[in-house]
Amino acid sequence: QVYLLYLDQFQKCPVPNTPETEEQFTNMLKHMILERSSIPHAIAQGIDAWRTTLRNQKCYNDDDDDDDDVCEQERLQSLEDALYRFFTARVGLRFLTQHHIMSSPKRLESRQENSMDGVNDEDFFLGCIQTNCQPVHEVKKVVEYVQKQTQDYYDGLCPEIQIVDTTQQRDLEEKCAMSFSECNFTYVPHHLRYMVGELLKNSCRATVKRYIEKGSKGTIPPIKIVVVKGKEDVTIKIADRGGGIPRSKMSKIWKFAHSTAASDENETDFGVDEFTGAKIRGFGLPLARIYARYLGGELTLKSLEGYGVDAYLHLPRLGDACESLPLQVQFSPSNLNSNPPRRAVGSMN
């Protein structure tokens, strides 16, 4: 139904070949971008309902059937693969749509008006891609936001979040060796903020919970964020002392609808998923890894059970890596060229 609704809106919208029709087209896309929660929320509800049905069937079936378990695992894996492909394609489509909206001439006009009024916004740039993205600056924004969320949910409790910035010295070294443009980190800031936000939220949750379980004695262990700019990648490490994850459960953290959050978090802003804007549990880490891989990066977690987790977010400089899509997404109908064939120059037909 949502697909048909969007299709109908595209068919009714005039072709954007004038400034007026361009503005109409952009406004239509804005509405679609803002309506970001309905499809993921429906998928999450479907997954929960299906797993509840499976659990109920096991309760009524006393016989241990290995064949049924194998079939169930195969169905679950097929589901995970399908969701991975779906959300990877969705990230790409939303990225193109947001880039179009944020490149709108109206946005530039509004910026110029604000500049004339004395408003100076250093974060302003057209489109989604920032040619000189400052990772430490973006991380600080996320830290401030997550700290407030954590304090609101845990009655003022929040670990200290230490940021180790190694990028400034690296920038000085690179500027001496190459041109300014070559040492820039070109990336998509809102992708970066989403990934760091999900990792940091998990670290804060685990750290505070462990502190409470130990009787709230002493001080809450700090969380350390290290930002490093290498020749190929910008790497962000987030290290916490929240107790770690058992090795037997490490593979499950990348599953959709698997969550380390408490059920009551869904009723607060701490349970909001920034990708969907809805209170959906379990999509955070899988989507963060999709975001990282989409532009050629990677997200890995190293756990020391009984101590904490180190998360490593590797982000390549755009221009060195293209979007990374599964083969089934690359060859899907949505990825094919839908433009009508053009006649060759000088053709008589």
Side-chain angles (χ1 to χ4, degrees), residues 311-322:
Y312 294 88
L313 181 59
H314 302 278
L315 308 173
R317 303 183 182 197
L318 293 191
D320 296 333
C322 299

Side-chain angles (χ1 to χ4, degrees), residues 166-167 170-171 174 183 185 227-231 233-234 317:
T166 69
T167 62
R170 180 69 185 178
D171 284 342
E174 289 188 340
C183 68
F185 172 50
V227 185
V228 182
K229 183 184 284 187
K231 289 184 179 179
D233 293 344
V234 166
R317 303 183 182 197

